[in-house]
């Protein structure tokens, strides 16, 4: 306490004129930053924007604020020289030591800016990763932590706190033991980033949750379910799950079955199967590699026809419209071939009854064609 009182006593001995000059130096630095440095960098940015590379733009943006900070810190250093701060005999703090610390802060600030979004690092990783947006946040945060640790270590060493640097290692081990779950989630996130089973915006499904990936952090992954709720899944758990990524598929499956009356003539069944197969093969939205239209069931309920194919229409709304179009065309073929569908009604008094269909009632026919898709089955 007495040492602080002595410092204030020495400061009171400094003439007012020196304080005024020191204040003018700081104000001058503020004006230089606002009216000179800002305009210089605006001009430089306009020039580098004309180039084809993005690296020079990022370097200029990352350098602007550190330069302004250095000018302000240097003006503070000059002010200390003016008031003869070293003459106060503060052993722990000298103007030259502060100057070194200021340089460390400015350098760390510059490299910190290089890890921000819209930086050269972000653009380069985003391009090399095929537009995947989950890698950069992890790499960026790790680099920032390293920069901060190096900066603090340099400052601590400058003040002679070597024990502090040693203590970082011991404290780190103790902290790791207390935060095992946090580190398991961290490594789970790293595994997700490296393995890349999905990206932000993908539709994924696990044994516990299904939806659209909205964000991936160090601790967890946020998924927007189809009920519009948000599910937060720890990365350690998600990394050990079997993940189905529906977004990465190139085709969507459509398969269903309908049953026709058991007294339908064989020739009519054959004509229907051939015409439906030809319909699917001629449709531009249907993949031609695998198309199955098969009369594959004989039963007391009727004759079953199985239809199985893939479409390259991935948009869900258009996908549903395509199914509607195919269903309508199949109904038209059945009508033209004079083939009736079988359908079932439930009589709770007498049990299950079998009734013949009539193609004149289109609504009944639509109920007879049972589309079974991944979404309807919860897949």
């Amino acid at each position: 306490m007495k040492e602080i009182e002595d410092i204030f006593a020495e400061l009171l001995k400094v003439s007012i004129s020196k304080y005024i000059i020191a204040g003018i130096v700081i104000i001058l630095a503020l004006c230089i930053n606002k009216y000179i440095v800002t305009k210089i960098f605006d001009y430089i940015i306009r020039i580098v924007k004309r180039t084809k590379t993005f690296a020079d733009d990022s370097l200029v943006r990352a350098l602007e604020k550190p330069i302004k900070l250095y000018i302000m810190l240097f003006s503070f250093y000059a002010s200390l020289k003016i008031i003869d701060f070293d003459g106060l005999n503060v052993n722990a703090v000298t103007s030259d030591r502060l100057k070194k610390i200021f340089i460390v802060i400015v350098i760390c600030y510059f490299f910190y800016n290089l890890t921000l979004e819209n930086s050269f690092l972000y653009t380069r990783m985003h391009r090399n990763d095929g537009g995947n947006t989950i890698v950069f946040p992890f790499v960026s945060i790790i680099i920032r932590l390293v920069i901060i640790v190096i900066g603090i270590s340099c400052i601590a060493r400058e003040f002679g706190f070597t024990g502090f640097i040693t203590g970082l290692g011991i404290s780190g081990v103790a902290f790791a033991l207390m935060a095992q779950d946090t580190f398991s989630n961290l490594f789970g996130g790293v595994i997700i980033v490296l393995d890349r089973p999905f990206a932000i915006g993908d539709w994924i499904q696990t044994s516990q949750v299904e939806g659209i990936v909205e964000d991936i952090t160090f601790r967890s992954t946020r998924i927007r379910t189809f009920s519009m709720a948000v599910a937060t899944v720890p990365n350690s758990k998600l990394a050990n799950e079997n993940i189905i990524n529906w977004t990465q598929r190139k085709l969507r499956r459509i398969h269903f079955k309908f049953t026709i009356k058991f007294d339908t003539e064989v020739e009519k069944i054959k004509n229907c199967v051939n015409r439906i197969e030809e319909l699917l093969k001629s449709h531009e939205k249907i993949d031609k590699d695998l198309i199955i239209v098969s009369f594959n069931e004989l039963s007391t309920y009727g004759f079953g026809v199985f239809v199985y194919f893939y479409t390259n229409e991935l948009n869900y709304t258009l996908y549903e419209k395509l199914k509607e179009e195919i269903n309508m065309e199949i109904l038209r073929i059945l009508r033209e071939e004079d083939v009736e569908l079988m359908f079932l009604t439930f009589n709770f008094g007498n049990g299950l009854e079998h009734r013949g269909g009539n193609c004149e009632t289109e609504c009944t026919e639509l109920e007879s064609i049972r589309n079974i898709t991944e979404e309807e089955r919860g897949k």
Side-chain angles (χ1 to χ4, degrees):
M1 189 68 181
K2 187 176 183 306
E3 184 177 353
I4 297 176
E5 292 177 355
D6 293 339
I7 292 174
F8 275 105
E10 292 294 330
L11 289 173
L12 291 175
K13 295 179 182 179
V14 179
S15 64
I16 298 178
S17 60
K18 289 185 177 181
Y19 282 119
I20 294 175
I21 295 173
I24 292 174
V25 170
I26 294 176
I27 294 173
L28 183 62
L30 289 171
C31 295
I32 291 174
N33 280 340
K34 184 175 182 180
Y35 297 105
I36 298 178
V37 177
T38 300
K39 291 185 177 180
I40 290 175
F41 272 93
D42 288 342
Y43 178 73
I44 295 174
I45 289 173
R46 286 198 297 269
I47 293 176
V48 297
K49 279 185 177 179
R50 300 173 186 172
T51 61
K52 296 181 179 180
T53 60
F54 187 79
D56 49 3
D57 301 57
S58 302
L59 289 174
V60 171
R61 291 193 183 96
L63 190 60
E64 181 179 0
K65 290 183 179 180
I67 289 293
K68 291 181 178 180
L69 178 62
Y70 180 76
I71 291 174
M72 287 304 305
L73 293 177
F74 185 80
S75 68
F76 183 71
Y77 166 77
S79 300
L80 293 179
K81 283 291 188 181
I82 292 172
I83 64 175
D84 192 22
F85 181 78
D86 293 334
L88 299 178
N89 296 322
V90 181
N91 296 327
V93 182
T94 63
S95 58
D96 289 335
R97 180 170 288 174
L98 287 175
K99 182 179 179 181
K100 294 178 182 178
I101 294 172
F102 293 161
I103 293 174
V104 170
I105 293 173
V106 170
I107 293 174
C108 290
Y109 189 25
F110 169 69
F111 284 106
Y112 186 92
N113 285 344
L114 289 178
T115 66
L116 299 175
E117 288 192 5
N118 299 323
S119 65
F120 175 71
L121 175 65
Y122 176 82
T123 305
R124 194 60 175 261
M125 292 185 64
H126 191 73
R127 186 188 304 126
N128 293 341
D129 202 33
N132 195 330
T133 56
I134 68 174
V135 177
F136 174 77
F138 282 87
V139 176
S140 175
I141 292 175
I142 291 173
I143 294 176
R144 291 178 199 176
L145 289 175
V146 171
I147 291 171
I148 292 173
V149 170
I150 291 176
I152 293 175
S153 299
C154 291
I155 293 173
R157 188 182 295 275
E158 185 64 31
F159 280 102
F161 297 150
T162 55
F164 172 78
I165 300 174
T166 305
L168 284 178
I170 300 173
S171 301
V173 173
F175 180 76
L177 293 175
M178 292 186 295
Q180 291 182 14
D181 291 340
T182 301
F183 278 100
S184 64
N185 288 325
L186 171 62
F187 286 116
V190 172
I191 291 172
I192 291 173
V193 169
L194 296 177
D195 195 36
R196 293 187 293 181
F198 55 82
I200 294 175
D202 282 1
W203 167 17
I204 66 170
Q205 178 185 350
T206 69
S207 60
Q208 301 295 327
V209 66
E210 178 181 6
I212 308 299
V213 178
E214 285 196 342
D215 192 19
I216 303 171
T217 65
F218 271 109
R219 194 193 73 82
S220 61
T221 298
R222 289 202 300 271
I223 300 173
R224 177 76 61 176
T225 65
F226 293 120
S227 60
M228 301 310 295
V230 175
T232 301
V233 185
N235 289 332
S236 58
K237 184 176 181 180
L238 191 61
N240 294 320
E241 285 273 8
N242 294 323
I243 301 173
I244 300 175
N245 190 325
W246 293 110
T247 301
Q248 291 184 359
R249 61 183 171 181
K250 297 180 180 179
L251 299 171
R252 298 186 73 163
R253 181 179 61 174
I254 300 176
H255 64 116
F256 56 87
K257 189 175 186 177
F258 59 89
T259 305
I260 59 181
K261 290 183 65 175
F262 54 82
D263 59 353
T264 305
E265 297 178 5
V266 176
E267 194 62 32
K268 290 183 178 181
I269 297 175
K270 184 177 181 181
N271 289 340
C272 288
V273 170
N274 291 337
R275 291 185 63 182
I276 293 172
E277 186 174 2
E278 186 61 32
L279 164 69
L280 299 178
K281 288 182 177 179
S282 61
H283 201 289
E284 61 179 2
K285 290 291 185 178
I286 294 176
D287 185 68
K288 307 304 185 294
D289 291 338
L290 180 60
I291 296 176
I292 299 174
V293 183
S294 172
F295 168 37
N296 71 343
E297 185 178 66
L298 293 171
S299 69
T300 57
Y301 302 111
F303 302 147
V305 178
F306 178 66
V307 181
Y308 189 102
F309 59 95
Y310 287 87
T311 175
N312 55 17
E313 184 58 75
L314 300 181
N315 181 276
Y316 184 74
T317 303
L318 298 178
Y319 168 74
E320 289 295 327
K321 286 294 183 181
L322 175 65
K323 290 197 299 181
E324 177 185 352
E325 178 187 345
I326 297 299
N327 288 346
M328 291 297 184
E329 288 298 319
I330 291 176
L331 287 176
R332 182 180 62 80
I333 292 172
L334 294 177
R335 281 186 173 185
E336 291 176 357
E337 295 294 335
D338 194 23
V339 173
E340 296 183 2
L341 298 174
M342 288 295 297
F343 62 93
L344 302 176
T345 60
F346 288 91
N347 186 322
F348 292 99
N350 301 321
L352 184 63
E353 295 181 353
H354 304 274
R355 296 184 180 179
N358 189 335
C359 284
E360 293 180 358
T361 308
E362 184 176 295
C363 181
T364 303
E365 293 172 338
L366 284 170
E367 292 177 356
S368 302
I369 296 182
R370 305 187 302 275
N371 283 335
I372 305 173
T373 64
E374 295 89 348
E375 291 79 14
E376 293 164 352
R377 297 180 64 185
K379 293 183 178 180

